[in-house]
Amino acid sequence: MIDPATASTAMLDAAIRRAVENVAAGGGPFAAVVARGEQVVAHGVNRVTRDLDPTAHAEVVAIRAACQAVGRFSLAGCVLVSSCEPCPLCLAASLWARLDAVVYAADRHDAARAGFDDLAFYDLFGAPRDQWSLPVGQVAVASAGAPFDAWLAKSDRVDY
């Protein structure tokens, strides 16, 4: 259960306003804010069609901008506030960014009602891979571990 203090109603309302503005500007109906306490670190709107980038979801755009603003790839100490429940891509980005919490207004069912695939993708990830419409599988090659060996041998690597 998310503590209501994690994100103010004002921040959720701001994300929703930005999402509505983005629709008027020709973008998708999604917006997000990365905040530390009551301070906005960065924000983002859906830019998928504008940038011809299927990864340019509002949450990913906000996370990228926040990392640049704080000068590191970890957003520990921050919260992602989104106009809609993050899709699996955005949820994974939130985990990689080490955010403290994710809060949202609308959910995956609202997105599905508007024609977005979030619900279908959540369902897909719950199904066995042999039932997926996109074949995903490993091909064993002798050199598969070479990048990890190089990583482990690098004494000045930055772990993440």
Side-chain angles (χ1 to χ4, degrees):
M1 179 84 161
I2 293 288
D3 177 356
T6 303
S8 69
T9 302
M11 287 217 192
L12 282 165
D13 286 339
I16 292 166
R17 258 191 323 277
R18 284 184 188 275
V20 171
E21 291 167 0
N22 198 47
V23 170
F30 305 97
V33 173
V34 173
R36 183 181 293 122
E38 291 299 313
Q39 176 189 9
V40 172
V41 176
H43 59 83
V45 294
N46 181 283
R47 297 168 57 147
V48 170
T49 57
R50 179 188 139 189
D51 293 356
L52 304 177
D53 179 353
T55 69
H57 292 201
E59 297 88 346
V60 173
V61 171
I63 288 168
R64 289 173 180 160
C67 288
Q68 292 299 306
V70 301
R72 61 183 191 275
F73 56 80
S74 173
L75 294 176
C78 297
V79 173
L80 178 69
V81 180
S82 182
S83 63
C84 186
E85 180 179 10
C87 72
L89 167 77
C90 297
L91 189 56
S94 298
L95 291 165
W96 279 111
R98 310 297 195 252
L99 288 157
D100 287 3
V102 175
V103 295
Y104 56 88
D107 68 15
R108 64 183 82 170
H109 300 282
D110 298 312
R113 182 180 60 80
F116 291 89
D117 292 333
D118 304 47
L119 179 60
F121 290 159
Y122 272 105
D123 291 344
L124 175 72
F125 288 128
R129 279 195 185 170
D130 63 356
Q131 295 176 14
W132 290 15
S133 59
L134 173 68
V136 176
Q138 183 179 21
V139 175
V141 294
S143 60
F148 299 109
D149 294 339
W151 174 256
L152 291 169
K154 187 172 174 53
S155 62
D156 63 341
R157 71 179 178 264
V158 177
D159 292 326
Y160 60 97

